[in-house]
Amino acid sequence: MTNAAYFKVTEKTIADLIDMLGQSGVTADREKRAAYSIDETIPRFEREYVADAVCFPENTEQVSMVMKYANEHLIPVTPRGAGTGLSGGAVPSRGGIVMSMERMNAILEIDHANRTLTTEPGAVTAEVTKAAREHGMFYAGDPCSGDISFIGGNVAENAGGNKVIKYGATGAHVLGLEAVLPDGSVVMFGGKRRKDVTSYDFIHLIVGSEGTLGIVTKIILNLIPYPKCVTDLLVPMPSVEAAVKLVPLITTEGGVIPSSVEFMDRKSIRNVEDYTSLRIPHSDAAAFLIIQMDGMDRRQLWSDAERIGDLCVRNGAVEVFVAEDRNARDRVWRIRKLVAEEEWTNAMPILSKEDIVVPVSEISKFLDRLPEILARHRAICNAYGHIADGNIHITVFPDGIGEDENLHELAHPMRRELYAFVKELGGTLSGEHGVGLKRKQYTDIFLNEAQIELMKRVKAAFDPNNILNPDKLVP
Ligand SMILES: Cc1cc2nc3c(=O)[nH]c(=O)nc-3n(C[C@H](O)[C@H](O)[C@H](O)COP(=O)(O)OP(=O)(O)OC[C@H]3O[C@@H](n4cnc5c(N)ncnc54)[C@H](O)[C@@H]3O)c2cc1C
């Protein structure tokens, strides 16, 4: 892979891009460039990196033209969805062109015979879910950011979310995708079929590749029947250990694969109470679980809910609140949503948001030792997340760090110590938020030399000039 000395975007470049995309398809306006150069990563990469131009292609052909041009002129290109990423993947670390997919937002087709939905990458995830629903079908991808993220961004990050334990992450729903490679060539991997061993599994190489191998321009998604009934249990638990121990029992003893199991620690719950007028029963409990079950048969679901409720009580639950109707269920999930909202609006500055995964059996060990590690770095945290996947989001707050101190610099030694412990427990760097710019310097903790070398060779095979989203994911 050439570590390219990139060429600068000049007035001539802008004029050439306008020739390809039209006046409304390109901007070099300073404010717009800055706005399209950040995502939701905390602490922000604000003003650290700014694109020289932002392109808004309307179709695959235009994406292809820009990529061909950028490849020939050695100009870095950063693909961008809705910019809700939490790892700096859409941040143009070398300037150059940001390729926004927002105008490629059409849901192209719902095919009943093949149970597929074909969409452009700029469709908002919730719109995809809604379109499938209107046809009586279910798109089961469900990141918590679904109301704002794009489906193309979900594919590029292999976004997870609440329903992975039963339905899988985004990649599990992708049957086919069209991508524009860094040299501008257009490829179609997979299609409206559920079996294909004719080639390497390029679909799942592109899924989760964070825009480093190709720009996704069309996606074919698998649809399933819409689950007719849903029940949520809100379960305060006396200890984190008891909560963690309960999770696998839901399936092994309870005989149910839940559609979600979410965890919130006491600090998360207390933060929500401080932030709102909401009073959460048993908010002094050490941990809360939300257990969601769905299905087609109401009676079956009732009996499952009863059995899982009993199981919770037998395993120490302080109480089990059952939410069956829409309003009650919304109230339960509002608590979980407020945990994240409170952080975003109230609790800045944040030193770091982490996306740790450890085997479920190791979660208690991880959470027990966490305060001690963070204290060494003048930090505290709250923890919540997708516990059935072993995926715990921790939000790390400064505790005694001065306002003038550099959070990026302080976060670094904290993350190294934390990740070394995660590795010791058999865990990994990120479950769903991605490596991006934020975590790339830590991949060496989790990948050995042979793996890193292989990643570099794959990247070079797709992108020999290293123009597509340089500095992301690949060590
Ligand atoms: C409040 C909140 C809640 C969140 N909850 C979750 C959650 O539950 N689960 C989860 O997994 N994530 C979650 N996220 C993170 C984020 O929403 C996801 O990573 C999402 O998939 C990003 O989509 P996006 O369209 O915003 O992509 P962006 O942030 O714009 O880009 C993300 C990456 O994808 C690449 N990319 C974007 N579009 C394309 C394309 N068409 N082709 C190739 N590469 C492309 C970019 O280059 C970048 O590397 C959350 C974020 C927020 C702010």
Side-chain angles (χ1 to χ4, degrees), residues 119-244:
T119 180
E120 290 185 322
V124 172
T125 314
E127 293 297 320
V128 170
T129 313
K130 189 167 156 238
R133 175 82 172 112
E134 281 165 4
H135 288 255
M137 288 194 272
F138 187 40
Y139 168 62
D142 184 31
C144 300
S145 52
D147 287 339
I148 44 176
S149 66
F150 292 172
I151 191 73
N154 295 171
V155 169
E157 292 287 355
N158 195 13
N162 298 328
K163 294 197 168 70
V164 172
I165 179 66
K166 181 163 183 180
Y167 296 108
T170 302
H173 315 298
V174 179
L175 296 177
L177 49 82
E178 179 188 82
V180 175
L181 301 182
D183 66 358
S185 52
V186 180
V187 287
M188 180 75 208
F189 298 128
K192 292 180 182 179
R193 47 187 188 249
R194 287 175 180 78
K195 280 186 168 177
D196 188 345
V197 289
T198 315
S199 159
Y200 291 125
D201 186 355
F202 284 111
I203 296 175
H204 293 101
L205 185 56
I206 299 284
V207 169
S209 65
E210 302 187 2
T212 60
L213 302 181
I215 299 191
V216 175
T217 45
K218 201 183 286 175
I219 305 151
I220 301 175
L221 295 167
N222 183 46
L223 301 180
I224 56 176
Y226 204 92
K228 288 193 184 129
C229 349
V230 184
T231 297
D232 288 298
L233 308 181
L234 178 67
V235 190
M237 296 295 291
S239 66
V240 170
E241 208 182 340
V244 172

Side-chain angles (χ1 to χ4, degrees), residues 322-341:
V322 184
E324 276 170 345
D325 64 76
R326 181 85 229 186
N327 283 342
R329 291 182 34 236
D330 283 352
R331 282 202 298 277
V332 167
W333 282 95
R334 184 152 175 261
I335 301 172
R336 171 67 177 82
K337 282 189 182 143
L338 282 168
V339 172
E341 187 186 309

Side-chain angles (χ1 to χ4, degrees), residues 29-30 123 132 211 255 283 291 313 317 386 395 402 417 433 436 441 448 457:
D29 172 81
R30 199 181 153 73
S283 60
I291 304 171
V313 172
H386 319 298
T395 309
E417 188 176 349
H433 294 166
Q441 56 192 318
N448 71 16
R457 276 161 40 206

